[in-house]
């Protein structure tokens, strides 16, 4: 029997179309088993690293925890403090995410706050957002330091820079002394005991000047060796142990702190 | 063998070979991408790589290979070209179906969301679909095979030079002349046609003369026609 090309063609055509249709049907049937589901693992997240309450404002530092090969680079975002309702945008300083909020009276009564927000950035080059909520304790930072000292005619002028979140009362001064920085050292004056002087500073950043007349009037054990700087010495140290009472809404807290300042008078050493 | 059919074969081979090296269809993105390779969809997701093989992907290149090979293997009938055109269309439709598979089951738009210890991370996976070069070659193959079908692969007019011995054999086969293959040639009754290098030699008795293809065919047919007519007598005589 002679082969009929038409018959062969028809046969192969029907066969191959049948194969094609079967494959299409089979693919649709097996598709749910063929595909896989993947999710990100070891993805970066945000934790609140610290909340520092200072006289200049509240600083919330956010830490980006990259625990894996995926590196997140922050570019912006915002935070909301749940307890105070404050919402601010974050700033990125050298890869550190910091939010600065104005200090409000509510912060004084809080021990910890909940912080929520979104930090936007890139994850391996893809745009990404990290939404977070974290509770962190508050650190209240009050600083008092000596910025300037002068001593002349038995009068000591001390300028204090006071950065506190609550009003403070500075009282008293205990065992202050001024001496040369030399070997051996010489006292200019020293007091043993309490000098009752009261200075009030409101909350915030302020400079407060103490003017103390150093004389035996201050107390029984006050030794004044000189009413001026000693000749031949230009480098001095002031020891100023003080008591500071912080007037929190929840009650007053008094702490004692030693302020020191080493300074150079005139030129040379 | 015709140049048109060879061209069709070349396109089919080019499609398959090129496809091994570059995807026929892809969705490119920084952290998420899909490439259609001859062995399935290669899906990359943040450093992970998965291969998803939909069965239709194998049919694409098998049909394309058939579309290229068939006109070379089966040269007697024009139905070969019809079948090759069908194969190329089937190959293209398998490719379309495989792309539809991606659209239906592997489609992803927008953000991927994953939980973190303190919340969620949203990652935007922007993607761009790209049709690769192999797909265009397959398209060209389909168009060429349909064109070849319509013109019976005769639109170029030139013929590929093939082995002259095979050309002689084809003529002898059509005329149902019995011959036997010898080394570098054919033997019909008392004469031999032998190919040596680029020239043909007609060996009759002890003498050999150089002949061209036309003369060689004419001589073998002349001798062959003296054979007893065997059409319809010899079983399984036809190839």
């Amino acid at each position: 029997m002679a082969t009929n090309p038409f018959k062969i063609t028809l046969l192969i055509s029907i066969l191959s179309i049948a194969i094609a249709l079967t494959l299409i049907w089979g693919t649709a049937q097996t598709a749910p088993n063929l595909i896989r589901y993947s999710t990100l693992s070891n993805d970066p997240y945000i934790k609140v690293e610290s909340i520092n309450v200072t006289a200049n404002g509240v600083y919330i530092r956010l830490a980006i925890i990259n625990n894996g090969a995926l590196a997140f680079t922050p570019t912006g975002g915002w935070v909301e403090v749940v307890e105070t309702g404050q919402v601010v945008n974050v700033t990125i300083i050298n890869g550190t995410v910091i939010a600065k909020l104005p200090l409000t009276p509510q912060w004084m009564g809080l021990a910890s706050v909940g912080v929520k927000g979104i930090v936007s950035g890139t994850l391996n080059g893809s745009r990404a957002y990290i939404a977070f909520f974290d509770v962190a304790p508050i650190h209240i930072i009050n600083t008092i330091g000596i910025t300037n000292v002068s001593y002349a005619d038995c009068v000591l002028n001390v300028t204090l820079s006071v950065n506190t979140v609550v009003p403070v009362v500075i009282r008293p001064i205990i065992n202050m002394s001024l001496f040369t920085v030399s070997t051996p050292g010489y006292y200019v004056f020293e007091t043993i005991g309490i000098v009752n002087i009261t200075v009030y500073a409101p909350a915030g950043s302020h400079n407060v000047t103490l003017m103390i007349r150093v004389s035996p009037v201050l107390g029984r054990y006050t030794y004044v060796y000189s009413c001026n700087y000693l000749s031949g010495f230009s480098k001095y140290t002031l020891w100023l142990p003080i008591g500071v009472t912080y007037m929190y809404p929840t009650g007053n807290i008094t702490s004692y702190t030693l302020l020191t300042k080493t300074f150079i008078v005139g030129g040379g050493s | 063998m015709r140049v048109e059919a060879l061209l069709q074969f070349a396109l089919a081979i080019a499609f398959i070979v090129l496809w091994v090296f570059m995807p026929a269809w892809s969705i490119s993105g920084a952290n998420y991408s899909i490439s259609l390779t001859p062995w399935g969809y290669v899906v990359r997701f943040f450093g992970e790589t998965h291969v998803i093989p939909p069965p239709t992907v194998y049919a694409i290149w098998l049909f394309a290979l058939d579309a290229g090979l068939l006109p070379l293997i089966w040269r007697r009938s024009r139905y070969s070209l019809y079948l090759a055109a069908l194969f190329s269309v089937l190959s293209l439709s398998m490719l379309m179906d495989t792309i539809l598979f991606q659209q239906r089951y592997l489609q992803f738009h927008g953000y991927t969301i994953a939980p973190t210890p303190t919340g969620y991370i949203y990652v935007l996976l922007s993607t761009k679909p790209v049709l690769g070069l192999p797909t265009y070659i397959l398209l060209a193959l389909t168009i060429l095979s349909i064109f070849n079908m319509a013109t019976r692969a005769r639109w170029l007019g030139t013929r590929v030079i093939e082995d002259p011995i095979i050309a002689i054999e084809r003529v002898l086969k059509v005329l149902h002349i019995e011959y036997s293959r010898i080394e570098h040639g054919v033997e019909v009754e008392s004469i031999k046609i032998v190919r040596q290098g680029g020239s043909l030699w007609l060996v009759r008795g002890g003498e050999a003369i150089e002949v061209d293809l036309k003369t060689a065919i004419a001589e073998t047919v002349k001798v062959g026609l003296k054979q007893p007519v065997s059409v319809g007598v010899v079983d399984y005589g036809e190839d």
Side-chain angles (χ1 to χ4, degrees):
Chain A
M1 193 189 81
T3 49
N4 185 338
F6 176 71
K7 275 184 187 167
I8 294 171
T9 304
L10 199 66
L11 194 72
I12 295 175
S13 302
I14 291 168
L15 213 66
S16 52
I17 290 169
I19 289 169
L21 289 176
T22 309
L23 278 174
I24 292 171
W25 180 79
T27 301
Q29 290 296 307
T30 55
N33 301 323
L34 283 175
I35 57 173
R36 291 159 193 268
Y37 293 94
S38 279
T39 48
L40 281 172
S41 51
N42 293 330
D43 35 345
Y45 63 97
I46 302 276
K47 273 193 80 65
V48 175
E49 194 171 285
S50 64
I51 302 174
N52 289 336
V53 178
T54 72
N56 298 319
V58 179
Y59 294 88
I60 299 175
R61 259 179 73 144
L62 304 178
I64 296 160
I65 313 218
N66 288 318
N67 53 356
L70 303 173
F72 181 81
T73 314
T75 54
W78 54 267
V79 296
E80 180 184 344
V81 177
V82 177
E83 280 78 356
T84 64
Q86 289 167 299
V87 180
V88 290
N89 287 337
V90 299
T91 48
I92 316 291
I93 300 160
N94 288 335
T96 308
V97 187
I98 294 173
K100 189 193 172 191
L101 300 94
L103 180 65
T104 60
Q106 287 149 291
W107 282 98
M108 293 308 104
L110 299 170
S112 65
V113 290
V115 179
K116 65 177 181 179
I118 286 177
V119 174
S120 58
T122 53
L123 185 70
N124 270 23
S126 290
R127 183 130 195 79
Y129 298 90
I130 299 177
F132 68 95
F133 176 76
D134 201 7
V135 177
I138 292 169
H139 302 284
I140 292 179
I141 295 174
N142 296 308
T143 56
I144 297 174
I146 301 171
T147 52
N148 201 23
V149 180
S150 68
Y151 179 65
D153 298 327
C154 280
V155 175
L156 176 71
N157 278 303
V158 181
T159 306
L160 298 177
S161 84
V162 181
N163 283 281
T164 58
V165 293
V166 287
V168 290
V169 176
I170 297 167
R171 181 184 57 195
I173 298 168
I174 310 140
N175 300 351
M176 68 166 174
S177 57
L178 180 66
F179 50 88
T180 63
V181 180
S182 58
T183 312
Y186 299 96
Y187 277 115
V188 180
F189 64 79
E190 65 173 317
T191 68
I192 296 169
I194 291 168
V195 174
N196 270 316
I197 186 163
T198 303
V199 173
Y200 172 84
S205 275
H206 306 279
N207 279 341
V208 174
T209 305
L210 301 176
M211 197 181 82
I212 304 158
R213 185 166 290 280
V214 184
S215 73
V217 179
L218 286 174
R220 202 176 150 199
Y221 301 104
T222 299
Y223 303 96
V224 181
Y225 301 99
S226 169
C227 265
N228 285 296
Y229 295 120
L230 300 176
S231 63
F233 294 96
S234 60
K235 199 172 182 184
Y236 297 88
T237 294
L238 175 70
W239 282 66
L240 195 68
I242 55 166
V244 181
T245 303
Y246 298 94
M247 296 156 84
Y248 285 102
T250 47
N252 293 351
I253 294 167
T254 303
S255 66
Y256 294 90
T257 178
L258 167 65
L259 306 179
T260 66
K261 174 80 171 174
T262 298
F263 57 98
I264 291 164
V265 177
S269 60
Chain B
M1 204 176 292
R2 294 202 62 89
V3 176
E4 293 87 338
L6 273 181
L7 212 60
Q8 192 170 324
F9 177 70
L11 276 179
I13 293 300
F15 164 65
I16 292 162
V17 170
L18 205 62
W19 193 14
V20 172
F21 298 104
M22 55 170 74
W25 159 258
S26 65
I27 290 196
S28 61
N31 292 307
Y32 174 68
S33 71
I34 295 178
S35 315
L36 180 56
T37 64
W39 51 90
Y41 278 111
V42 177
V43 183
R44 276 196 322 104
F45 179 76
F46 283 103
E48 289 177 49
T49 306
H50 295 295
V51 178
I52 312 289
T56 45
V57 81
Y58 303 105
I60 299 171
W61 51 268
L62 280 173
F63 280 136
L65 195 67
D66 290 343
L69 270 177
L70 195 66
L72 299 190
I73 295 169
W74 184 18
R75 278 188 276 168
R76 232 160 15 93
S77 165
R78 63 188 300 183
Y79 280 104
S80 153
L81 296 172
Y82 293 174
L83 209 49
L86 176 76
F87 282 139
S88 68
V89 170
L90 278 176
S91 174
L92 197 64
S93 50
M94 289 292 106
L95 178 70
M96 292 305 151
D97 185 72
T98 310
I99 290 172
L100 283 178
F101 173 89
Q102 184 271 316
Q103 301 274 308
R104 170 71 180 80
Y105 297 103
L106 298 173
Q107 184 65 308
F108 183 80
H109 271 309
Y111 289 93
T112 182
I113 305 166
T116 66
T118 56
Y120 289 90
I121 182 163
Y122 300 76
V123 185
L124 179 63
L125 298 174
S126 55
T127 50
K128 196 165 132 273
V130 181
L131 218 52
L133 185 60
T135 302
Y136 293 103
I137 293 177
L138 180 61
L139 210 61
L141 170 67
T142 307
I143 292 165
L144 180 71
S145 63
I146 290 169
F147 196 62
N148 275 353
M149 177 185 80
T151 62
R152 292 176 69 189
R154 269 166 179 77
W155 49 274
L156 271 178
T158 53
R159 219 183 160 151
V160 167
I161 296 157
E162 60 188 341
D163 190 345
I165 299 300
I166 289 170
I168 295 166
E169 276 185 278
R170 280 162 65 91
V171 173
L172 295 178
K173 269 183 201 166
V174 169
L175 295 173
H176 299 287
I177 293 166
E178 279 184 16
Y179 66 93
S180 51
R181 250 341 287 241
I182 56 167
E183 213 179 330
H184 304 302
V186 286
E187 185 174 13
V188 184
E189 299 300 314
S190 58
I191 66 161
K192 288 177 194 166
I193 304 291
V194 183
R195 197 178 119 215
Q196 260 188 333
S199 55
L200 288 175
W201 295 84
L202 173 68
V203 184
R204 185 185 279 137
E207 58 171 336
I209 46 165
E210 195 176 351
V211 288
D212 61 357
L213 182 59
K214 276 179 186 168
T215 319
I217 290 172
E219 288 299 320
T220 50
V221 169
K222 226 190 285 174
V223 177
L225 284 178
K226 288 175 187 160
Q227 285 177 350
V229 176
S230 59
V231 180
V233 177
V234 179
D235 278 349
Y236 309 115
E238 193 177 335
D239 281 329

